[in-house]
């Protein structure tokens, strides 16, 4: 047998084996990369949903409520609204019924309807306390509607951690959204994904 033909056969076999190995390695890298990007896409989708349906609206309503509350205090020349003086009662009822309770109702509905979107595994206590605070005010407003102004505020106090929780959660999700959207690999993958979809269409 010719030695050169043996060498040629061996080289062809080695080349074929190398081609298979490189093809498999390429497939494996592509598979892992696609899987990683798909997970990133799923995570971004969840972050967007949490921002759009829960923490975003909750944050906006909370900031609006705080601005309104400070405006009322400034108008009345007070640092806190409580105790509510007799001379402040008419204005307090007006602001409570037209500004504060509508914003409370918005937040209550967001929490109840979208509780599945909370970041934590367990419902944060401050969210539960907020809902019970609002429920307490509903009873007070019902009495006001009947002309009974004996009670001036909810018997269930405002949860002090609520505002900081909403702001902290919103900002953390916005930071994660930005990180997920502006990652270099993510941008490359999105371009490739859009290009492949464009060819199919």
């Amino acid at each position: 047998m010719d030695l050169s033909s043996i060498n040629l056969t061996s080289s062809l076999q080695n080349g074929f084996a190398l081609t298979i190995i490189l093809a498999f390695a390429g497939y494996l890298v592509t598979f892992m990369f696609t899987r990683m990007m798909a997970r990133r896409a799923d995570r971004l989708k969840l972050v967007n949903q949490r921002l759009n349906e829960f923490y975003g609206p909750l944050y906006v309503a909370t900031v609006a409520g705080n601005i309104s509350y400070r405006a009322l205090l400034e108008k009345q020349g007070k640092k806190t609204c409580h105790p509510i003086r007799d001379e402040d009662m008419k204005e307090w009822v007006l602001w409570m019924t037209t500004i504060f309770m509508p914003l409370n109702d918005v937040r209550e509905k967001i929490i109840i309807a979208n509780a599945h979107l909370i970041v934590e595994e367990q419902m944060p206590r401050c969210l539960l306390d907020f809902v019970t605070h609002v429920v307490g005010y509903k009873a007070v407003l019902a009495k006001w509607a009947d002309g009974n102004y004996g009670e001036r505020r909810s018997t269930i106090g405002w949860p002090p951690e609520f505002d900081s929780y909403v702001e902290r959660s919103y900002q953390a999700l916005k930071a994660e959204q930005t990180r997920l959207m502006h990652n270099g690999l993510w941008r490359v993958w999105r371009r490739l994904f859009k290009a492949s979809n464009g060819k199919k269409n």
Side-chain angles (χ1 to χ4, degrees):
M1 188 177 235
D2 188 2
L3 190 60
S4 62
S5 65
I6 294 174
N7 288 338
L8 180 61
T9 303
S10 177
S11 296
L12 288 173
Q13 287 175 344
N14 288 342
F16 182 68
L18 183 61
T19 301
I20 291 174
I21 291 170
L22 288 175
F24 179 74
Y27 167 78
L28 192 61
V29 168
T30 302
F31 173 77
M32 295 300 291
F33 178 76
T34 303
R35 189 176 178 186
M36 182 180 71
M37 289 298 104
R39 284 181 178 174
R40 182 179 287 268
D42 289 342
R43 180 62 189 170
L44 180 59
K45 182 179 178 182
L46 177 60
V47 168
N48 287 339
Q49 188 180 12
R50 282 174 167 163
L51 281 170
N52 293 337
E53 299 176 25
F54 193 91
Y55 290 97
L58 199 61
Y59 176 72
V60 171
T62 298
V63 170
N66 288 336
I67 292 171
S68 301
Y69 178 73
R70 287 193 296 270
L72 175 61
L73 293 182
E74 187 177 341
K75 185 176 182 182
Q76 293 180 338
K78 297 164 65 177
K79 292 188 176 178
T80 61
C81 69
H82 305 299
I84 300 164
R85 303 171 302 201
D86 290 341
E87 58 268 30
D88 297 330
M89 189 59 188
K90 185 177 179 182
E91 191 142 40
W92 173 246
V93 170
L94 175 67
W95 283 63
M96 198 67 223
T97 54
T98 61
I99 298 172
F100 300 136
M101 271 309 286
L103 286 171
N104 284 344
D105 287 337
V106 166
R107 289 180 282 190
E108 180 193 36
K109 286 173 185 171
I110 291 167
I111 293 168
I112 292 173
N114 299 304
H116 60 286
L117 293 174
I118 62 167
V119 173
E120 294 79 9
E121 290 184 9
Q122 300 293 327
M123 175 68 74
R125 182 71 198 182
C126 63
L127 297 184
L128 294 173
D129 290 345
F130 173 81
V131 172
T132 54
H133 170 77
V134 174
V135 168
Y137 257 119
K138 287 180 181 180
V140 173
L141 265 64
K143 290 181 180 180
W144 290 354
D146 287 338
N148 178 0
Y149 296 96
E151 286 185 44
R152 302 185 175 189
R153 54 185 295 197
S154 174
T155 54
I156 302 155
W158 178 271
E161 318 86 23
F162 180 79
D163 293 343
S164 59
Y165 168 79
V166 171
E167 182 177 3
R168 186 174 64 251
S169 301
Y170 173 77
Q171 289 177 348
L173 282 169
K174 283 299 291 181
E176 185 176 6
Q177 182 190 53
T178 301
R179 180 180 60 79
L180 289 169
M181 290 177 66
H182 295 96
N183 177 276
L185 288 175
W186 170 255
R187 289 199 300 268
V188 169
W189 188 74
R190 288 296 293 166
R191 280 198 208 102
L192 292 172
F193 183 75
K194 285 180 181 177
S196 64
N197 279 352
K199 288 176 184 176
K200 289 176 185 177
N201 296 334

